[in-house]
Amino acid sequence: VTVGGHTAIVGIGATEFSKESGRSELRLAVEAISSALADAGLVPGDVSGFATMGIDTNEEVEIAKSLGTDDLRFFAQTPYGGGSGCGVVMLAQMAVACGQADVVVCYRAMNERSGVRFGQARTRPFNVRYGWSSPFGLLTAAAKGALLARRYMYDFGATSEDFGRVTVVERAYAATNPSAWFYEKPITLEDHQASRMIADPLRLLDCCQESDGAVAIVVTSLDRARDLKQPVVEIRAAAQAASWDQEVVTAYYRDTISDQPEMVLLAEQLFRKADIDRGDVDVANFYDHFTPLVLMQLEGFGYCGPGEAKDFVREGGLAIGGALPLNTNGGQLGEGYIHGFNGIAEAVRQVRGTAVNQVPGAAVALVTSGSSVPTSGMILAKA
Amino acid sequence: MGGDIENKEVQRPAPDINQDTAFFWEGAKEGKILIQKCSSCGRLRHPPRPACPYCHSFEWETQESSGRGTLYSYTVHHHPPLPGFDLPVVVALVELEEGTRLVANLLDVEPDRIEIGSAVTATFIDGPNDLRLPAFRVD
């Protein structure tokens, strides 16, 4: 049984991306969902399911109480933080394809800058696995990712400048995106090199933003999508992926750590389900919490060989007109950090043909969720 | 740096410990790095877990590491502040000569002179809750 090819994203909505929303996370969620339903031409009474990331604080029934949605038939969450975003849409896809729900709204809402900041050292509920990192000072995602990045540099001769070129490209996209926090604020490689060290080799400008905001995505059947307001964006494939000896950023114990077997597994599933080759992808949105992990994703998806992503980026591969225009909204480095949900919305806009940095004729978009963690991804296509 | 990484006013985060992992922390109190070893197929594994991912046996014993290894990767943490640490702090990923890796601090080293592949040797430092933590110095 396959569910691919039967579902579509029919609505997207978002709040502004800021550093202090001044509103509750629940309100942000309800605002984004209301906007997404209006975008689709649907009303709250049409919704029969809600799905979000396990890390989201907004319970499905609390959302329903504000929207006035009754007869809720599906509610579900996916684990593993930033890796779980596209997995939420996968759950919605399965619920719709299996007939459990007709319209499912996926959402992620957070005051991640004005509230609990993920970039800070944080205490956690009881979990023995943090015992192998926290007592030694690995208390931030950046520090954990830095160990992977440093070994990647050693294995492949990549440099801090190679990481910085990812930020420069994304900030150029953000500079022309009015929704981006860094709208009209492009940077140079020199700016990147002058930014302060956070967790060597990661500089400030290698790290995604911390943001307040919300994004919502409406999923329904392909048949129903054809009767709704927007150009139809089909979910051609959605999948989750975790590999041998998988950990959450701290997969330090595999034979090699400068590659991402979970991304290889994700790529294999997505291209097979969507029945396309990687070369058929017109535009991509890769999860960009830290720049070296963007390079590793390019390699995991086979757009270049091991260690060659630095050359791919240097040669303009991520620009419009390049081999794989990437994070055309400015990504989480430039637009905002909504745990990858804003990247899903950008992929939808690209396929609709309504992105501010539109890839001409884009018909197929690839999206990933967090890398170096149990992850997920999607391929969206013009129906 | 190095021996000064302990901020005595706030203790660094303590590990959560359960039946699967207690042997490691008890060993550290005695100045030993203990590696979990499958009693069935003999393979070593770290971090500890209840069963062998290769042969699926629940039977295990421990092997004491020589404490010698090489630096596999590292980071120098500068920001944000960390409870219980004076910054910057050097966190190393060490590959023990037995073949498993572990995370620990690298002591008495200038951050700009750290080299992957360097030979390192284990020592132990005071940790939170009267625990001892493995740490390493470059040979």
Side-chain angles (χ1 to χ4, degrees):
Chain A
V1 175
T2 176
V3 297
H6 298 296
T7 53
I9 293 177
V10 294
I12 55 175
T15 65
E16 80 286 2
F17 307 132
S18 74
K19 301 299 177 186
E20 185 164 9
S21 73
R23 323 201 275 297
S24 72
E25 293 185 331
L26 182 59
R27 176 164 174 156
L28 295 178
V30 174
E31 286 184 14
I33 292 168
S34 299
S35 164
L37 289 172
D39 181 63
L42 292 168
V43 296
D46 293 320
V47 177
S48 48
F50 290 107
T52 186
M53 299 162 74
I55 196 171
D56 196 282
T57 64
N58 304 293
E59 295 175 27
E60 295 89 334
V61 293
E62 293 300 315
I63 303 273
K65 279 163 64 180
S66 273
L67 287 172
T69 302
D70 59 2
D71 294 344
L72 210 55
R73 294 150 199 260
F74 178 74
F75 26 94
Q77 302 172 7
T78 52
Y80 298 118
S84 61
C86 291
V88 176
V89 182
M90 185 193 76
L91 286 179
Q93 180 197 36
M94 293 195 297
V96 170
C98 294
Q100 182 60 34
D102 184 28
V103 174
V104 178
V105 178
C106 308
Y107 60 90
R108 179 73 178 109
M110 56 186 188
N111 284 325
E112 193 274 326
R113 180 61 178 78
S114 65
V116 176
R117 297 177 62 180
F118 296 172
Q120 298 292 308
R122 289 188 299 154
T123 55
R124 311 268 188 172
F126 185 94
N127 189 329
V128 295
R129 72 177 163 83
Y130 293 116
W132 314 114
S133 51
S134 297
F136 310 101
L138 284 186
L139 286 155
T140 64
K144 292 173 182 175
L147 284 176
L148 303 174
R150 176 55 71 183
R151 183 71 196 193
Y152 180 88
M153 297 168 86
Y154 177 84
D155 283 345
F156 299 125
T159 64
S160 173
E161 288 88 347
D162 292 323
F163 300 162
R165 288 186 185 93
V166 174
T167 315
V168 171
V169 170
E170 293 198 21
R171 289 289 294 271
Y173 285 132
T176 53
N177 172 11
S179 298
W181 176 257
F182 286 121
Y183 178 51
E184 296 182 329
K185 292 191 177 68
I187 62 156
T188 64
L189 194 55
E190 290 69 33
D191 294 328
H192 171 272
Q193 288 295 294
S195 68
R196 67 174 164 159
M197 203 60 89
I198 299 297
D200 190 342
L202 300 180
R203 299 177 178 280
L204 178 65
L205 293 179
D206 289 308
C207 304
C208 65
Q209 300 179 59
E210 296 177 297
S211 302
D212 288 8
V215 175
I217 307 286
V218 184
V219 175
T220 191
S221 67
L222 193 56
D223 282 346
R224 184 160 186 185
R226 298 188 198 286
D227 298 329
L228 293 176
K229 199 167 148 189
Q230 300 293 342
V232 179
V233 177
E234 185 183 347
I235 304 172
R236 287 282 296 276
Q240 292 180 310
S243 295
W244 177 263
D245 230 14
Q246 183 74 57
E247 297 209 6
V248 181
V249 195
T250 52
Y252 302 143
Y253 312 99
R254 296 165 166 167
D255 288 346
T256 58
I257 67 168
S258 47
D259 56 357
Q260 296 191 332
E262 57 278 2
M263 281 297 169
V264 175
L265 174 63
L266 184 63
E268 182 275 321
Q269 293 184 77
L270 292 179
F271 293 142
R272 179 174 45 77
K273 285 183 177 193
D275 195 22
I276 64 166
D277 297 320
R278 69 176 68 83
D280 297 327
V281 174
D282 298 308
V283 59
N285 213 288
F286 281 179
Y287 199 92
D288 54 342
H289 41 356
F290 304 109
T291 54
L293 301 181
V294 173
L295 300 182
M296 291 163 78
Q297 284 179 76
L298 288 166
E299 294 164 13
F301 269 85
Y303 285 101
C304 37
E308 294 174 358
K310 62 184 187 303
D311 309 309
F312 186 92
V313 174
R314 194 195 311 244
E315 290 158 10
L318 308 186
I320 289 177
L324 188 70
L326 190 88
N327 297 3
T328 46
N329 58 338
Q332 302 188 102
L333 295 161
E335 188 186 56
Y337 175 74
I338 312 298
H339 248 153
F341 258 66
N342 49 322
I344 299 172
E346 173 67 3
V348 172
R349 285 189 294 267
Q350 285 285 353
V351 174
R352 286 180 178 175
T354 59
V356 289
N357 298 310
Q358 181 64 42
V359 173
V364 179
L366 167 65
V367 194
T368 66
S369 295
S371 74
S372 77
V373 298
T375 191
S376 53
M378 280 193 298
I379 290 174
L380 305 180
K382 204 166 280 205
Chain B
M1 287 309 299
D4 295 326
I5 58 176
E6 285 290 282
N7 176 337
K8 298 298 182 190
E9 292 174 13
V10 181
Q11 71 172 12
R12 56 170 77 191
D16 293 326
I17 299 172
N18 70 5
Q19 296 92 330
D20 298 327
T21 66
F23 75 91
F24 180 91
W25 303 106
E26 290 304 313
K29 283 182 183 172
E30 298 169 12
K32 299 174 182 172
I33 295 176
L34 296 181
I35 307 169
Q36 201 177 27
K37 179 179 182 178
C38 177
S39 300
S40 177
C41 73
R43 287 186 178 88
L44 300 175
R45 58 182 193 254
H46 182 84
R49 66 206 70 177
C52 175
Y54 300 95
C55 78
H56 318 301
S57 171
F58 285 91
E59 302 302 316
W60 56 271
E61 55 209 75
T62 61
Q63 176 173 329
E64 183 178 350
S65 169
S66 69
R68 289 188 295 272
T70 55
L71 184 65
Y72 191 82
S73 192
Y74 69 94
T75 184
V76 185
H77 182 100
H78 294 272
H79 188 81
L82 304 178
F85 293 89
D86 291 329
L87 301 183
V89 61
V90 181
V91 186
L93 179 62
V94 171
E95 187 162 286
L96 296 170
E97 67 177 6
E98 291 81 8
T100 58
R101 298 187 197 124
L102 82 166
V103 171
N105 293 118
L106 193 63
L107 309 179
D108 305 325
V109 67
E110 291 297 322
D112 57 357
R113 301 186 68 169
I114 303 171
E115 287 185 26
I116 288 178
S118 297
V120 296
T121 299
T123 182
F124 289 83
I125 59 176
D126 287 337
N129 298 353
D130 296 322
L131 293 170
R132 300 273 286 168
L133 302 175
F136 288 84
R137 287 192 177 88
V138 177
D139 291 353

